[in-house]
Amino acid sequence: RVAGGATAMVSHDIEAAFADLERSCTEWKFRAEEHEHQNTLLKKELQTAESEFAQLQMELERREGAAEAAISSLQRQIHQKEADFSSLWHQHEQAERQLSGSCARTTLLEQEKSSLEQMLVDAKADHDRVQSEVDTFRQQHAALQMEADQRLRGLEQE
């Protein structure tokens, strides 16, 4: 009887241990599935972030190219305006020597000079504005790169 009681008690303990083990296995399996689901979501998030980053990178490159082309165009215009101004100023000087008594012609040339100077000022202002936009795009690119790097580090740590 004593041996039978001890056997029943050991059998009960073994069954309880198996039940605890089964519960633990179920709980760990649930946690593993939950982690797998989280990993899947994070991978999708990472893919989305990488895609968005690539699109932003392409847009930045496109805008930088457009800004550089605009700057180059403005610089050519400035050089042309300077050459035009130089040419007009030379014409003005010749006309002033030839027509020393003609105030009307001199006034006209001074107006043209003023107009060209204003055009030069405007062109330089446009150049500065475009350069500022290029600087802003570069800063945005750097911020996006840092954010992407931080996300990647965060995902790698998880």
Side-chain angles (χ1 to χ4, degrees), residues 116-130:
L116 286 172
E117 287 173 339
Q118 184 59 47
M119 289 167 57
L120 181 61
V121 167
D122 293 345
K124 286 181 180 178
D126 286 345
H127 174 269
D128 291 344
R129 178 187 52 76
V130 169

Side-chain angles (χ1 to χ4, degrees), residues 85 88-89 91-96 103-115:
F85 174 75
L88 286 172
W89 188 253
Q91 291 174 12
H92 165 72
E93 289 175 336
Q94 286 179 341
E96 201 172 55
C103 292
R105 178 71 178 148
T106 301
T107 301
L108 178 64
L109 288 173
E110 286 175 353
Q111 289 172 349
E112 289 176 0
K113 175 189 169 204
S114 177
S115 175

Side-chain angles (χ1 to χ4, degrees), residues 22-143:
E22 194 173 304
R23 277 192 300 276
S24 292
C25 286
T26 301
E27 185 177 319
W28 281 107
K29 182 179 176 185
F30 176 75
R31 285 183 185 173
E33 289 171 355
E34 193 173 296
H35 283 292
E36 184 67 31
H37 179 68
Q38 286 292 339
N39 284 344
T40 300
L41 292 177
L42 288 173
K43 284 178 185 177
K44 286 180 183 176
E45 239 182 87
L46 175 61
Q47 288 172 345
T48 300
E50 287 174 340
S51 174
E52 289 173 0
F53 178 76
Q55 289 174 352
L56 289 171
Q57 181 78 26
M58 289 187 329
E59 177 64 15
L60 175 63
E61 289 171 2
R62 185 192 66 75
R63 286 186 181 187
E64 282 178 342
E68 288 172 4
I71 289 169
S72 178
S73 174
L74 288 171
Q75 288 173 333
R76 284 192 302 275
Q77 290 176 19
I78 289 168
H79 291 309
Q80 183 59 48
K81 298 295 181 190
E82 288 172 343
D84 292 347
F85 174 75
S86 178
S87 175
L88 286 172
W89 188 253
H90 181 68
Q91 291 174 12
H92 165 72
E93 289 175 336
Q94 286 179 341
E96 201 172 55
R97 284 190 298 272
Q98 293 172 358
L99 305 171
S100 59
S102 174
C103 292
R105 178 71 178 148
T106 301
T107 301
L108 178 64
L109 288 173
E110 286 175 353
Q111 289 172 349
E112 289 176 0
K113 175 189 169 204
S114 177
S115 175
L116 286 172
E117 287 173 339
Q118 184 59 47
M119 289 167 57
L120 181 61
V121 167
D122 293 345
K124 286 181 180 178
D126 286 345
H127 174 269
D128 291 344
R129 178 187 52 76
V130 169
Q131 185 63 48
S132 176
E133 289 180 7
V134 167
D135 291 343
T136 299
F137 291 142
R138 286 186 176 142
Q139 290 171 356
Q140 289 173 347
H141 172 262

Side-chain angles (χ1 to χ4, degrees), residues 139-150:
Q139 290 171 356
Q140 289 173 347
H141 172 262
L144 288 171
Q145 185 68 49
M146 281 178 44
E147 181 182 336
D149 290 345
Q150 287 174 348

